[in-house]
């Protein structure tokens, strides 16, 4: 790992020079169980990839809905089995493209979606009942879900068969990422309203993807990523229970989103520990009895923070090893980063190569032929137990502070992540941690690669479309729908059905988010 005498994982767990039988944890058979059975350490399904490979997703979305739609069709033609939508910053934080706050950002880091017309264009020619779609969206997640459902209804889809995920994880935004709008407590209410609405209308939809990914991208260690993610999960479950929801019903639709980082064996151990810990949390803390409410299902994305702008083709083996760790750790869904993403949004060629990386692992490597092939490894089992122990201690600290919301308000998450990020950066700058092409094996040669460029003119196009929408929509219907959203937000009625009615009345993302800002206020971090 380094040239120093100390050999340790990112979480500070000592790496033995040789793992021995004595390193195996006590009661190993009980810790492991059987695949598809409590505590799910070995995987959530009995035959795992022997029966069905993970969903191969590619995160896409840039500029206009039409451009993103073209990319989706290309990915589906290349063999992708699920779509994953990136939204631009204005969409993420609830501003329409013509808002002054949106200047310079429209379509830049994702697709610009302001209205039902944009959502129609985004999925033109794609039957939503026949694909699963993951949407990386948080503060405005219920609004974007409403737009997706509205388009599915127009297609004649059976909503009970609609499959996909909204990230909808606001707590990690306060701790690590920053695309929040409302204060934590009304945000939690918006999330639990979504749980309740989806349980009744879209039972196959994953209503939240509790995300450690961005916590890790901000600099957390593997153990911190695991602990803070599960602590956030505990907060969401408790909020849902406080809202009167049934743990076995909504618990079955929770999903998680983890980072696949560079330390190969630590990442495999993290994923295995996560399943065991969550199963025990759901059973012992919350009384969940349904196996689907106890099992931790997760999506993985390779680590964007590890991609280097220097010698970008070296990112290909980095991503390959990270993806292999996710597969050996038992992921249900995987996104592999394009090699050019340290420089720009991925080109179609880079995205296709990233997908091919998954396909080589899935169809050529042989690692899918047996379930949990690293089970029983002296080192992996020791590491799994030690990551579990380290994460458990951190969760106990969060509990002592009053839970995730209180810990975030207190700055506990933020301080721990900042300290870990600082230590990691010092190790890179000192050369103790080697980054190939960055602090060792450098070259003066510049790789000549095509980059995806997004034009600023997209904002003008989107603004013109918004003006036309506002002039053509039924003003009385719009007013009634928007007033109903405000009334529900001020009271205790579920807000989601009113948001759905509003988007069907051609209300925009910015208009709905703005009305909710008036009621709930805006978080000042």
């Amino acid at each position: 790992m380094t040239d120093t005498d100390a050999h340790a994982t990112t979480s500070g767990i000592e790496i033995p020079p040789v793992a021995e039988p004595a390193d195996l944890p006590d009661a190993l058979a009980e810790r492991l169980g059987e695949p598809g059975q409590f505590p799910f350490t070995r995987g959530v399904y009995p035959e795992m990839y022997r029966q069905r490979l993970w969903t191969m997703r590619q995160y896409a979305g840039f500029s206009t809905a039409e451009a993103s739609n073209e990319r989706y069709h290309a990915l589906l033609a290349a063999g992708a089995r699920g779509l994953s939508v990136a939204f631009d910053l204005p969409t993420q934080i609830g501003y329409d493209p013509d808002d002054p706050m949106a200047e310079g950002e429209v379509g830049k880091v994702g697709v610009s979606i302001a209205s039902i017309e944009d959502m129609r264009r985004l999925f033109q020619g794609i039957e939503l009942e026949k694909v699963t779609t993951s949407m990386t969206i948080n503060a405005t997640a219920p609004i974007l879900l409403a737009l997706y459902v509205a388009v599915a209804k127009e297609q004649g889809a059976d909503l009970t068969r609609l499959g996909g995920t909204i990230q909808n994880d606001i707590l990690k935004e306060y701790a690590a990422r920053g695309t929040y709008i409302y204060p934590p407590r009304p945000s939690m209410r918006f999330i639990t309203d979504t749980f309740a609405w989806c349980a009744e209308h879209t039972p196959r939809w994953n209503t939240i993807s509790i995300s450690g990914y961005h916590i890790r991208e901000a600099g957390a260690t593997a153990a911190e990523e695991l602990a803070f993610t599960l602590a956030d999960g505990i907060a969401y479950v408790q909020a849902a229970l406080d809202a009167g929801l049934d743990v076995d019903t909504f618990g079955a639709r929770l999903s998680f989103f983890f980072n696949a980082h560079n330390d190969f064996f630590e990442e495999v151990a993290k994923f295995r520990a996560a399943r065991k810990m969550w199963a025990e949390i759901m059973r012992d803390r919350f009384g969940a009895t349904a196996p689907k409410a106890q099992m931790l299902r997760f999506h993985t994305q390779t680590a964007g923070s590890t991609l280097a702008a220097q010698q970008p083709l070296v990112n290909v083996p980095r991503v390959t090893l990270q993806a292999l760790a996710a597969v050996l750790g038992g992921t249900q869904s995987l996104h592999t980063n394009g090699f050019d993403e340290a420089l720009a949004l991925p080109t179609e060629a880079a995205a296709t190569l990233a997908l091919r990386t998954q396909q080589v692992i899935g169809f050529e490597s042989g690692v899918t032929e047996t379930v949990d092939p690293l089970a029983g490894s002296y080192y992996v089992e020791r590491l799994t137990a030690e990551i579990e122990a380290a994460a458990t201690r951190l969760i106990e600290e969060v509990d002592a502070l009053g839970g995730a919301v209180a810990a975030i308000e207190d700055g506990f998450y933020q301080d721990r992540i900042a300290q870990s990020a600082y230590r990691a950066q010092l190790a890179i700058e000192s050369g103790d941690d080697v980054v190939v092409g960055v602090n060792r094996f450098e070259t003066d040669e510049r790789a000549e690669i095509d980059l995806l460029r997004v034009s600023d003119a997209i904002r003008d196009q989107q603004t013109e479309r918004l003006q036309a929408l506002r002039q053509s929509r039924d003003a009385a219907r719009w007013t009634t729908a928007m007033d109903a959203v405000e009334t529900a937000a001020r009271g205790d009625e579920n807000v989601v059905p009113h948001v759905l009615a509003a988007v069907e009345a051609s209300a925009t993302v910015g208009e709905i988010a703005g009305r909710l800002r008036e009621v709930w206020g805006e978080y000042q971090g």
Side-chain angles (χ1 to χ4, degrees), residues 43-81:
V44 293
Y45 302 120
E47 294 192 19
M48 288 298 288
Y49 307 134
R50 286 170 63 97
Q51 184 176 45
R52 181 178 181 271
L53 294 183
W54 62 93
T55 299
M56 298 182 187
R57 296 189 188 279
Q58 284 309 114
Y59 191 43
F62 59 95
S63 69
T64 62
E66 292 94 335
S68 295
N69 176 264
E70 184 177 342
R71 175 70 61 84
Y72 291 146
H73 280 285
L75 287 169
L76 290 170
R81 292 183 16 225

Coordinates of all heavy atoms in Angstrom, one line a residue, residues 43-81:
G43 N -24.8 -12.5 0.6 CA -25.6 -12.1 -0.5 C -27.1 -12.1 -0.2 O -27.5 -12.9 0.6
V44 N -27.8 -11.3 -0.9 CA -29.3 -11.3 -0.6 C -30.1 -12.3 -1.4 O -31.3 -12.5 -1.1 CB -29.8 -9.8 -0.9 CG1 -29.2 -8.8 0.0 CG2 -29.5 -9.4 -2.4
Y45 N -29.5 -13.0 -2.4 CA -30.2 -14.0 -3.1 C -29.5 -15.3 -3.0 O -28.3 -15.4 -3.0 CB -30.4 -13.6 -4.6 CG -31.2 -12.3 -4.7 CD1 -30.6 -11.2 -5.3 CD2 -32.4 -12.1 -4.2 CE1 -31.2 -10.0 -5.4 CE2 -33.1 -10.9 -4.3 CZ -32.5 -9.8 -4.9 OH -33.1 -8.6 -5.0
P46 N -30.2 -16.5 -3.0 CA -29.5 -17.8 -2.9 C -28.5 -18.1 -3.9 O -27.4 -18.6 -3.6 CB -30.7 -18.8 -2.9 CG -31.9 -18.0 -2.5 CD -31.7 -16.6 -3.0
E47 N -28.8 -17.7 -5.2 CA -27.8 -18.1 -6.2 C -27.1 -16.9 -6.8 O -26.3 -17.0 -7.7 CB -28.5 -18.9 -7.4 CG -29.0 -20.2 -6.9 CD -29.5 -21.1 -8.1 OE1 -29.1 -20.8 -9.2 OE2 -30.2 -22.0 -7.9
M48 N -27.4 -15.7 -6.3 CA -26.8 -14.5 -6.8 C -26.6 -14.4 -8.3 O -27.6 -14.6 -9.0 CB -25.4 -14.3 -6.0 CG -25.6 -13.9 -4.6 SD -26.5 -12.3 -4.3 CE -25.2 -11.2 -4.8
Y49 N -25.4 -14.3 -8.8 CA -25.2 -14.0 -10.2 C -25.3 -15.3 -11.1 O -25.4 -15.2 -12.3 CB -23.9 -13.3 -10.5 CG -23.6 -12.1 -9.6 CD1 -22.4 -11.9 -9.0 CD2 -24.6 -11.1 -9.5 CE1 -22.2 -10.8 -8.2 CE2 -24.4 -10.0 -8.7 CZ -23.2 -9.8 -8.1 OH -23.0 -8.7 -7.3
R50 N -25.4 -16.4 -10.4 CA -25.6 -17.6 -11.2 C -27.0 -17.6 -11.8 O -27.3 -18.1 -12.9 CB -25.5 -18.9 -10.3 CG -24.1 -19.2 -10.0 CD -24.1 -20.3 -8.9 NE -24.7 -21.5 -9.3 CZ -24.0 -22.6 -9.8 NH1 -22.7 -22.5 -9.9 NH2 -24.6 -23.7 -10.2
Q51 N -27.9 -16.9 -11.1 CA -29.3 -16.8 -11.6 C -29.5 -15.6 -12.5 O -30.2 -15.6 -13.5 CB -30.3 -16.8 -10.4 CG -31.7 -16.8 -10.8 CD -32.6 -16.8 -9.6 OE1 -32.4 -16.1 -8.6 NE2 -33.6 -17.7 -9.7
R52 N -28.9 -14.5 -12.1 CA -29.1 -13.2 -12.8 C -28.0 -12.2 -12.5 O -27.7 -12.1 -11.3 CB -30.5 -12.6 -12.5 CG -30.8 -11.3 -13.2 CD -32.2 -10.8 -12.8 NE -32.6 -9.6 -13.5 CZ -32.3 -8.4 -13.0 NH1 -31.7 -8.2 -11.9 NH2 -32.7 -7.3 -13.7
L53 N -27.3 -11.7 -13.5 CA -26.3 -10.7 -13.2 C -26.9 -9.4 -12.6 O -28.1 -9.2 -12.7 CB -25.5 -10.4 -14.5 CG -24.7 -11.5 -15.1 CD1 -23.9 -11.0 -16.3 CD2 -23.7 -12.1 -14.1
W54 N -26.0 -8.6 -12.0 CA -26.4 -7.3 -11.5 C -26.9 -6.5 -12.7 O -26.6 -6.7 -13.8 CB -25.2 -6.7 -10.8 CG -24.1 -6.4 -11.7 CD1 -23.8 -5.3 -12.5 CD2 -23.0 -7.3 -12.1 NE1 -22.7 -5.4 -13.2 CE2 -22.2 -6.7 -13.0 CE3 -22.7 -8.6 -11.8 CZ2 -21.1 -7.3 -13.6 CZ3 -21.6 -9.2 -12.3 CH2 -20.8 -8.6 -13.2
T55 N -27.7 -5.4 -12.3 CA -28.1 -4.5 -13.4 C -27.0 -3.6 -13.7 O -26.3 -3.0 -12.9 CB -29.3 -3.6 -12.8 OG1 -30.4 -4.5 -12.5 CG2 -29.7 -2.6 -13.9
M56 N -26.6 -3.6 -15.0 CA -25.5 -2.8 -15.5 C -26.1 -1.4 -15.9 O -26.7 -1.3 -16.9 CB -24.8 -3.5 -16.7 CG -24.2 -4.8 -16.3 SD -23.4 -5.6 -17.6 CE -23.0 -7.2 -16.9
R57 N -25.8 -0.4 -15.1 CA -26.2 0.9 -15.4 C -25.1 1.8 -15.9 O -23.9 1.6 -15.5 CB -26.8 1.5 -14.1 CG -28.1 0.8 -13.6 CD -28.7 1.7 -12.5 NE -29.8 0.9 -11.9 CZ -31.0 0.8 -12.4 NH1 -31.3 1.4 -13.5 NH2 -31.9 0.1 -11.7
Q58 N -25.4 2.8 -16.6 CA -24.5 3.9 -16.9 C -25.1 5.2 -16.7 O -26.2 5.5 -17.2 CB -24.0 3.8 -18.4 CG -23.0 2.7 -18.6 CD -21.8 2.7 -17.7 OE1 -21.7 1.7 -16.9 NE2 -21.0 3.7 -17.7
Y59 N -24.5 6.0 -15.8 CA -25.0 7.3 -15.4 C -24.9 8.2 -16.5 O -23.8 8.5 -17.1 CB -24.1 7.7 -14.2 CG -24.5 8.9 -13.4 CD1 -25.8 9.1 -13.0 CD2 -23.5 9.8 -13.0 CE1 -26.2 10.1 -12.2 CE2 -23.9 10.9 -12.2 CZ -25.2 11.1 -11.8 OH -25.5 12.1 -11.0
A60 N -26.0 8.7 -17.0 CA -26.0 9.6 -18.2 C -27.0 10.7 -18.0 O -28.0 10.6 -17.2 CB -26.4 8.8 -19.4
G61 N -26.8 11.8 -18.7 CA -27.7 12.9 -18.6 C -26.8 14.2 -18.8 O -25.9 14.4 -18.0
F62 N -27.1 14.9 -19.8 CA -26.3 16.1 -20.0 C -27.1 17.0 -21.0 O -27.9 16.5 -21.8 CB -24.9 15.9 -20.6 CG -24.9 15.1 -21.9 CD1 -24.9 15.8 -23.1 CD2 -25.1 13.7 -21.9 CE1 -24.9 15.1 -24.3 CE2 -25.1 13.0 -23.1 CZ -25.0 13.7 -24.3
S63 N -26.9 18.3 -21.0 CA -27.5 19.3 -21.8 C -29.0 19.2 -21.9 O -29.7 19.4 -20.9 CB -26.8 19.3 -23.2 OG -27.2 18.1 -23.9
T64 N -29.5 18.8 -23.0 CA -31.0 18.8 -23.2 C -31.5 17.3 -23.0 O -30.8 16.4 -23.1 CB -31.4 19.3 -24.6 OG1 -30.8 18.4 -25.6 CG2 -30.9 20.7 -24.8
A65 N -32.8 17.3 -22.8 CA -33.5 15.9 -22.7 C -33.3 15.1 -24.0 O -33.1 13.9 -24.0 CB -34.9 16.1 -22.5
E66 N -33.3 15.8 -25.2 CA -33.1 15.1 -26.4 C -31.7 14.5 -26.5 O -31.6 13.3 -27.0 CB -33.3 16.1 -27.6 CG -34.7 16.6 -27.8 CD -34.9 17.9 -27.1 OE1 -34.2 18.2 -26.1 OE2 -35.8 18.6 -27.6
A67 N -30.7 15.2 -26.1 CA -29.3 14.7 -26.2 C -29.2 13.5 -25.2 O -28.5 12.5 -25.6 CB -28.3 15.8 -25.8
S68 N -29.7 13.6 -24.1 CA -29.7 12.5 -23.1 C -30.4 11.3 -23.6 O -30.0 10.1 -23.4 CB -30.2 12.9 -21.7 OG -29.4 13.9 -21.2
N69 N -31.6 11.5 -24.2 CA -32.4 10.5 -24.8 C -31.6 9.7 -25.8 O -31.7 8.4 -25.9 CB -33.7 11.0 -25.4 CG -34.5 10.0 -26.0 OD1 -34.5 9.8 -27.3 ND2 -35.4 9.3 -25.3
E70 N -30.9 10.4 -26.6 CA -30.1 9.7 -27.7 C -29.0 8.8 -27.0 O -28.8 7.7 -27.4 CB -29.4 10.8 -28.5 CG -28.6 10.2 -29.7 CD -28.0 11.3 -30.6 OE1 -28.5 12.5 -30.5 OE2 -27.1 11.0 -31.3
R71 N -28.4 9.3 -25.9 CA -27.4 8.5 -25.2 C -28.1 7.3 -24.6 O -27.5 6.2 -24.6 CB -26.7 9.4 -24.1 CG -25.8 8.6 -23.2 CD -24.5 8.2 -23.9 NE -23.7 9.3 -24.4 CZ -22.8 10.0 -23.6 NH1 -22.7 9.7 -22.4 NH2 -22.2 11.0 -24.2
Y72 N -29.3 7.4 -24.0 CA -30.0 6.3 -23.4 C -30.2 5.2 -24.5 O -30.0 4.0 -24.2 CB -31.3 6.7 -22.8 CG -31.2 7.5 -21.6 CD1 -32.1 8.5 -21.3 CD2 -30.1 7.4 -20.7 CE1 -31.9 9.3 -20.2 CE2 -30.0 8.2 -19.6 CZ -30.9 9.2 -19.3 OH -30.8 9.9 -18.2
H73 N -30.7 5.6 -25.6 CA -30.9 4.6 -26.7 C -29.6 3.9 -27.1 O -29.6 2.7 -27.3 CB -31.6 5.3 -27.9 CG -33.0 5.5 -27.7 ND1 -34.0 4.5 -27.8 CD2 -33.7 6.7 -27.5 CE1 -35.2 5.0 -27.6 NE2 -35.1 6.3 -27.4
A74 N -28.5 4.6 -27.1 CA -27.2 4.0 -27.5 C -26.8 3.0 -26.4 O -26.3 1.9 -26.7 CB -26.2 5.1 -27.7
L75 N -27.0 3.4 -25.1 CA -26.6 2.5 -24.1 C -27.5 1.2 -24.0 O -27.0 0.1 -23.8 CB -26.7 3.2 -22.7 CG -25.6 4.2 -22.5 CD1 -25.9 5.1 -21.2 CD2 -24.2 3.6 -22.3
L76 N -28.8 1.4 -24.3 CA -29.7 0.2 -24.3 C -29.3 -0.7 -25.5 O -29.3 -1.9 -25.3 CB -31.1 0.7 -24.4 CG -31.7 1.4 -23.1 CD1 -33.1 2.0 -23.4 CD2 -31.8 0.4 -22.0
A77 N -28.9 -0.1 -26.6 CA -28.5 -0.9 -27.7 C -27.2 -1.6 -27.5 O -27.0 -2.7 -28.0 CB -28.4 0.0 -29.0
A78 N -26.4 -1.0 -26.6 CA -25.1 -1.6 -26.3 C -25.2 -2.7 -25.2 O -24.2 -3.3 -24.8 CB -24.1 -0.6 -25.8
G79 N -26.4 -2.9 -24.6 CA -26.6 -4.0 -23.7 C -26.9 -3.5 -22.2 O -27.0 -4.4 -21.3
A80 N -27.0 -2.2 -22.0 CA -27.3 -1.8 -20.7 C -28.7 -2.3 -20.3 O -29.6 -2.3 -21.2 CB -27.3 -0.2 -20.6
R81 N -28.9 -2.6 -19.0 CA -30.2 -3.1 -18.6 C -31.0 -2.2 -17.7 O -32.1 -2.5 -17.3 CB -30.0 -4.5 -17.9 CG -29.5 -5.5 -18.9 CD -29.4 -6.9 -18.3 NE -30.1 -7.2 -17.1 CZ -29.5 -7.8 -16.0 NH1 -28.3 -8.2 -16.1 NH2 -30.2 -8.0 -14.9

